[in-house]
Amino acid sequence: MSVVVTDPNAAAWQAHSLQRLNAEGPEPREIPNRMEWTRTPGQGPRAELLGHVDGRMVIELGCGAGHNIAHLVAMHGAIGTGLDVAWGQVQRARRNYGHLRGLLFTITDACTSLEYARRPFDVCYSVFGVVGLVPPLELFSLVAENLAPRGVLAFAVIHPDLAGQTPDAGDTPQPDSLQLPDGKQARILRYVPSRDGWLGLVEKTGLTVTDVLDIADSEGAPETLIVTARKA
Ligand SMILES: C[S@@+](CC[C@H](N)C(=O)[O-])C[C@H]1O[C@@H](n2cnc3c(N)ncnc32)[C@H](O)[C@@H]1O
């Protein structure tokens, strides 16, 4: 199948996922026994960060191969939607976990999907997913509109204080690159607000920030920023 993609982020992850898709086996994966919020498995908080998800509508923005949303559905009883703009990522997610009841994977741009969403979500989250890859204020505004009362937004992003990051106002994307499985680099665009900038952008939409976690690497340097917020 050939897919023409014009958004550089979508194109980069499309290329990434197709290489992964070709390298991975066709069998479903075992359900991960832990939700991962950082890039170091076993580190940082677990699914409990999202509060009670049993029977709740949960959406992951930029679900990749679907590991976290599958965990929430299979182990915590969530009714899950994983969305991703890259066709190959959704193929991987469906192959891995498409058999699970109560879990739907869909190929779509996150903002477009939220703009046309027909029912509210109780929980909306992103783990190094869409948050940071699309204009943050536009995204958070759409999330705020689509959350049910007391609904939760949670996201993990590269910590803005990590060496090499140059935080800005979060309204202009910075060029960055994604290493593909074959070692080549693909061009991407990333939004890099400061730590306070992220919190301000969330609160501008009327959501209330409820928790901020600065997760450090093994040498104590900031690595992952995790923010949770709630609708009134
Ligand atoms: C770094 S991966 C993270 C995947 C997954 N959350 C994980 O933790 O493994 C970022 C994902 O965001 C997706 N993505 C990027 N821009 C997007 C957009 N505008 N709408 C939906 N998904 C997007 C990419 O295709 C990619 O799968």
Side-chain angles (χ1 to χ4, degrees):
M1 175 169 177
S2 102
V3 180
V4 177
V5 187
T6 49
D7 166 10
N9 290 344
W13 268 287
Q14 178 65 4
H16 193 283
S17 57
L18 289 181
Q19 290 184 19
R20 280 278 168 81
L21 200 56
N22 290 333
E24 291 166 351
E27 305 80 23
R29 296 267 292 245
E30 259 184 50
I31 307 300
N33 61 13
R34 188 185 198 284
M35 180 165 183
E36 300 292 356
W37 286 95
T38 76
R39 291 166 178 192
T40 308
Q43 183 203 43
R46 296 167 173 253
E48 287 66 24
L49 187 85
L50 297 173
H52 177 71
V53 296
D54 190 6
R56 300 243 157 104
M57 302 287 290
V58 178
I59 184 167
E60 177 168 7
L61 307 175
C63 65
H67 309 305
N68 278 328
I69 191 74
H71 171 81
L72 292 173
V73 169
M75 308 278 192
H76 297 271
I79 302 164
T81 301
L83 68 80
D84 202 289
V85 74
W87 172 86
Q89 292 287 55
V90 173
Q91 282 300 104
R92 294 176 68 210
R94 287 180 181 155
R95 191 162 75 178
N96 290 339
Y97 308 112
H99 58 287
L100 290 178
R101 279 174 67 97
L103 176 56
L104 180 77
F105 290 109
T106 171
I107 309 165
T108 178
D109 164 65
C111 292
T112 310
S113 174
L114 289 170
E115 205 167 323
Y116 294 103
R118 277 189 274 166
R119 47 193 304 191
F121 294 99
D122 300 300
V123 175
C124 192
Y125 75 93
S126 160
V127 179
F128 296 102
V130 169
V131 176
L133 297 174
V134 301
L137 187 57
E138 180 188 342
L139 179 70
F140 292 152
S141 303
L142 286 164
V143 168
E145 268 171 41
N146 281 285
L147 278 178
R150 307 290 298 151
V152 169
L153 163 69
F155 61 89
V157 288
I158 297 171
H159 202 293
D161 298 341
L162 180 76
Q165 302 296 299
T166 312
D168 57 32
D171 52 8
T172 310
Q174 300 185 18
D176 197 356
S177 61
L178 172 71
Q179 174 148 351
L180 303 180
D182 67 6
K184 292 191 180 135
Q185 301 288 327
R187 189 173 71 92
I188 60 168
L189 293 171
R190 200 184 280 290
Y191 293 81
V192 189
S194 65
R195 184 181 188 280
D196 284 349
W198 278 118
L199 309 186
L201 286 160
V202 171
E203 296 225 318
K204 233 180 193 170
T205 68
L207 299 176
T208 302
V209 172
T210 48
D211 209 355
V212 185
L213 299 172
D214 301 276
I215 310 283
D217 66 15
S218 54
E219 267 136 48
E223 189 173 51
T224 305
L225 176 69
I226 304 175
V227 178
T228 59
R230 193 177 278 283
K231 189 161 169 169

